[in-house]
Amino acid sequence: MALPKGMRKPPRKGKIGKKVAYFKGCALEGPARDYDASARLVAKALGLELDQLEDFNCCGSLHVKNLSFKASLLLGARNFSVARAQGHGALVAPCNGCSFALKRAERLLSDEGKLSELNRLLEEAGERPVDELPQAHHLLEWLYNEAGPEEVKKNAVRPLKGLKVACYYGCLYGMPRVFSGAYPHASKEEELAVPYGRETADDDEHPYYMDALLEAAGAETVELGPYATSCCGSYFSLVEPELARSMALKVLKEAHARGARLLAVACPACKLSLETALARHEDLKLSVVYFTQLLALAFGHPPGSLGLTEEAWAG
Amino acid sequence: MRLWGLAEEDRIVEGKEGALILPKTSCDCKTELFDEITALPLAGEALSCDGCGVCTASCPVAEIITGFNPRSFIKTLEAGALDEVQKTAELLWRCVSCQACTHRCPRGVFVEDFLKAAVKVLRRKGLMEKSPAELFDELFTAEVLEYGKVEPVELIFSWLELQGYRVVRDPLLRKPLPFAGEIPPEIKKLVLKPLKGLRLSFVALNAVRLLVHPRSRNWGRVKHVLRKALGEV
Amino acid sequence: MKKVLVVGGGPAGLSAAEALAGLGFEVYLVEKEDKLGGLPVKESRYKLFPYEKSPEELLNPLAERVKEKVRVFTGAEVEAVLTDRPPFDVRLTNGETLRVDALVLATGVKSFDPTRKGELGFKLVNGVVTNAQLEAMLARNELKEPGSVAFVFCVGSRDLQLGPSYAHCCSYGCAHAGMLALELKRRFPSARVYCFYTDVRTCSTLERRYYLLPQREGVRYVRGRVARIYEQNGKPVLKFEDTLLGRPSELAVDLAVLVLGLEPSEGTKKLARLLSLKQDESGFIAEEREGVFVAGSCKGLLTLQEALTDGKATALRAALYLKGEKT
Ligand SMILES: Cc1cc2nc3c(=O)[nH]c(=O)nc-3n(C[C@H](O)[C@H](O)[C@H](O)COP(=O)(O)OP(=O)(O)OC[C@H]3O[C@@H](n4cnc5c(N)ncnc54)[C@H](O)[C@@H]3O)c2cc1C
Ligand code: SF4
Ligand code: SF4
């Protein structure tokens, strides 16, 4: 469930920066083009800047690390190198898999001696070593902190009145906290003791950034309870489709039972998994959309231009 | 050197001749298997596990697959009870890497990393068959190694082909043709979705991508170093 | 006559002060709160184990005896220690400055803030309360007969997810929960009462009264730590693994009671800083130095009984030091 309004923390402006390196990831270059387009529109409308990395490599997702720890860190280090070369101290990724992999790499590279070890590999590969580790964030964390509900409200020329949306965050958005830095309730003193505490991280157990933004855009959010962060099974969409489907179905059923029409997500892999399950369960009258599509819609962009099909939008 | 448990020479074994002999003791302070797993990166934190069950209670797979139980996997492997380990091997790979276990473990165990490390060691020791998950990891990693980037649609079709689906590829570039062949209906539906929404520009852009696989800069040299890293842990 | 300042008027501080005064020293005691008695009195408890008396019954007589023989400042704190070595010039927040030959620190502990463990639903899920809240309900006779109650052990104890300083055990929680669970079972015989534990640490003689007896009288102990509490149909649902069965499970109850851990109080951390005393990984005071003695829970968690005894023992150490110096 999303943290109730009275317990939420206001955005921490300036902690990440208005201009950041945009780590698009493989999916947004390809099938999740609509996510990319809407993310850009939203950032622009909110006076923020996504500076796309001119060159990047796959984050390694959850797969490369299973074969080799070192290789997974090398992929991360090269991405950080590219971001630094473009002069950035912060990277923003729109996908849970990417943000997980980048945060993980950031955290593990900050261990004693790790960065110099990986820098040697980068040099061997003819790449620029990383002078300073940039911080990795999820797109949603960035939008909430650098713009926040206030700005969204100001820009919502066509509020999403009467739209019932369930916000689905997925597992890797905030988990595990050792990588996401989500220690939202630690005191200042304790934050120091928790070495990777990140002020801009969402709540560790009851994330609310997406709810807050969509509420500000005029939508009515629907509570998903524990399913807001339970895994959609996308890791196994292909490998163990039955398992993945039963996991996705739990989320879909809950959203449906709570009366949602739309399920907003912040990750292309979640969308794929949820839609694959939906394709077999058309009785669940739900459409899965990116939260940025809904924001862009509220900002006045026509649904067609956002890649929102008629069935997703009307009905 | 571990100080608890019982060494093999201290074990009590009972049973009639010719019958299945199970040791009466389930723990062993010669823990080569566990030592080998916990020597892998991040997996070592499992030495701190107190068996509280928070990981299992947080695990979405445990809810669905009876017997999938991260806590018991850790403890079984720690005890080194080989008969139990064998049962574990059939289930272990079904972890979906959601990190809920690692997120909540009160002892700071990287549970998910431990499970993946365990798979690695069990495979190395021939105690486990190659799982579909490992096959997919390899497919994914091979594509990263080759290009630096992954093309999701191509990845999907390569996987389907590996699973025995008849994927039709164009004769020239050997690229999959999403609209031909026999693929699972829900996947076909997803691929066709943009067409239904008449987002032709979208379809066209994706088609181009399928033809020309995206590639990271300077990848030739990076590939070389990455391949070496892949050979290490 | 040698002078001693006792900082903190909880069980340990009170018993140290009483003993030192009895040994003939001039004793001052400074207590931050308006009332003496420490955590038990502040949290308005119902009953204290192993005495099974109310905090007032147990600690008021001690406080009264101390007030007779000791100069007590309530509602005041130590503001600064102006000298590095004995005799110490200590300035209090009420403007008083005292010169003393020794200090006894007994600044104790505070309860863990359960909103930090969001997964356990405190303030989010209807029917989730703390053990102190349950005690208050029992004390005021406000508790209506519940169908079922679950005690959730180790909330804010033994939990590295809260940070590296949370590895310690609270040392009172298991016995305390056992006592309350038994009480509930006796008051409401048809209620189902559960205790969710990782280990039950009812050491020494506490085992019989606060583990064995509750079990015998129908409290169900489940070996598994609660991972999550969420709301379903207006009730808390606990998610846990019954580790003895190896089965992930869910349980809906009327009342979920969080057994809160303890951590060093602000005063403990502040005095460690003022006197530059080493703290351990959890922030407890880990050393003494010339003229500075540490009593009770501020050096590591003790039960009330142990805190009372430790207060006396520390007083004796201080007395030997003070005598050895001059006489
Ligand atoms: C809900 C709950 C129930 C419990 N029930 C039991 C039980 O039944 N039986 C049992 O054995 N134990 C129980 N305990 C544990 C018990 O409370 C402790 O063992 C005991 O309080 C320790 O005593 P102490 O004197 O060391 O510290 P405290 O009781 O913490 O006393 C410290 C005192 O120092 C004061 N102080 C702090 N900082 C300063 C400062 N800077 N200047 C001046 N004064 C300061 C504080 O106000 C406080 O009065 C329970 C604890 C809790 C939370
Ligand atoms: S949560 Fe951690 S300590 Fe508890 S059983 Fe799982 S790995 Fe062990
Ligand atoms: S990472 Fe794997 S073992 Fe851990 S909770 Fe998720 S599915 Fe279960």
Side-chain angles (χ1 to χ4, degrees), chain B residues 81-103:
Chain B
L82 274 188
D83 48 330
E84 293 292 329
V85 168
Q86 231 115 53
K87 285 186 223 155
T88 299
E90 289 155 29
L91 293 164
L92 205 49
W93 64 270
R94 289 192 156 87
C95 158
V96 295
S97 290
C98 73
Q99 308 288 337
C101 47
T102 304
H103 184 65

Side-chain angles (χ1 to χ4, degrees), chain C residues 76-311:
Chain C
E77 279 184 58
V78 172
E79 191 175 79
V81 182
L82 306 167
T83 44
D84 196 37
R85 288 178 40 79
F88 298 104
D89 289 328
V90 183
R91 197 169 63 223
L92 305 183
T93 47
N94 60 6
E96 239 11 276
T97 301
L98 306 168
R99 166 161 294 192
V100 293
D101 302 290
L103 289 169
V104 172
L105 308 183
T107 41
V109 282
K110 66 170 184 203
S111 284
F112 173 73
D113 168 11
T115 55
R116 286 189 55 191
K117 286 235 38 100
E119 58 266 53
L120 298 182
F122 184 67
K123 285 200 183 150
L124 300 171
V125 174
N126 215 1
V128 177
V129 298
T130 68
N131 51 354
Q133 285 175 330
L134 174 66
E135 278 203 80
M137 284 192 253
L138 285 169
R140 287 189 243 119
N141 236 325
E142 279 172 3
L143 188 66
K144 280 195 235 82
E145 172 152 9
S148 53
V149 183
F151 287 85
V152 179
F153 285 28
C154 303
V155 178
S157 314
R158 314 171 65 196
D159 190 348
L160 296 175
Q161 289 301 339
L162 293 165
S165 56
Y166 284 87
H168 62 273
C169 160
C170 75
S171 98
Y172 82 96
C174 291
H176 185 247
M179 175 177 71
L180 294 181
L182 186 57
E183 171 90 24
L184 288 177
K185 197 69 201 155
R186 285 178 179 169
R187 264 203 211 187
F188 310 113
S190 57
R192 296 171 303 284
V193 182
Y194 302 87
C195 285
F196 289 91
Y197 70 97
T198 308
D199 313 283
V200 181
R201 294 177 171 176
T202 42
C203 298
S204 184
T205 52
L206 299 175
E207 176 81 357
R208 174 186 295 278
R209 286 163 69 187
Y210 304 122
Y211 189 9
L212 184 62
L213 261 186
Q215 276 192 302
R216 300 277 314 176
E217 296 195 23
V219 175
R220 170 90 164 84
Y221 278 75
V222 184
R223 206 269 172 197
R225 188 161 170 151
V226 175
R228 218 170 178 190
I229 300 179
Y230 49 84
E231 196 168 306
Q232 221 167 56
N233 308 324
K235 279 181 163 194
V237 174
L238 280 60
K239 204 130 204 283
F240 60 95
E241 185 204 356
D242 186 325
T243 58
L244 299 180
L245 289 180
R247 196 175 295 170
S249 327
E250 277 165 301
L251 182 79
V253 291
D254 294 323
L255 203 60
V257 183
L258 308 183
V259 178
L260 297 188
L262 297 171
E263 59 198 59
S265 70
E266 294 313 319
T268 295
K269 287 187 253 177
K270 183 173 166 197
L271 275 139
R273 265 198 313 274
L274 284 180
L275 292 160
S276 37
L277 298 172
K278 230 187 265 151
Q279 288 171 272
D280 70 8
E281 298 86 342
S282 295
F284 293 105
I285 300 178
E287 74 176 345
E288 296 186 335
R289 59 186 175 90
E290 194 188 343
V292 181
F293 300 88
V294 187
S297 274
C298 59
K299 64 183 168 198
L301 291 159
L302 302 177
T303 61
L304 179 76
Q305 198 174 30
E306 290 162 341
L308 287 168
T309 322
D310 190 61

Side-chain angles (χ1 to χ4, degrees), chain A residues 33-53:
Chain A
R33 230 167 263 282
D34 36 1
Y35 190 11
D36 176 47
S38 56
R40 286 164 189 280
L41 288 175
V42 167
K44 194 164 166 214
L46 294 171
L48 306 175
E49 195 177 334
L50 284 170
D51 182 23
Q52 187 180 321
L53 289 184

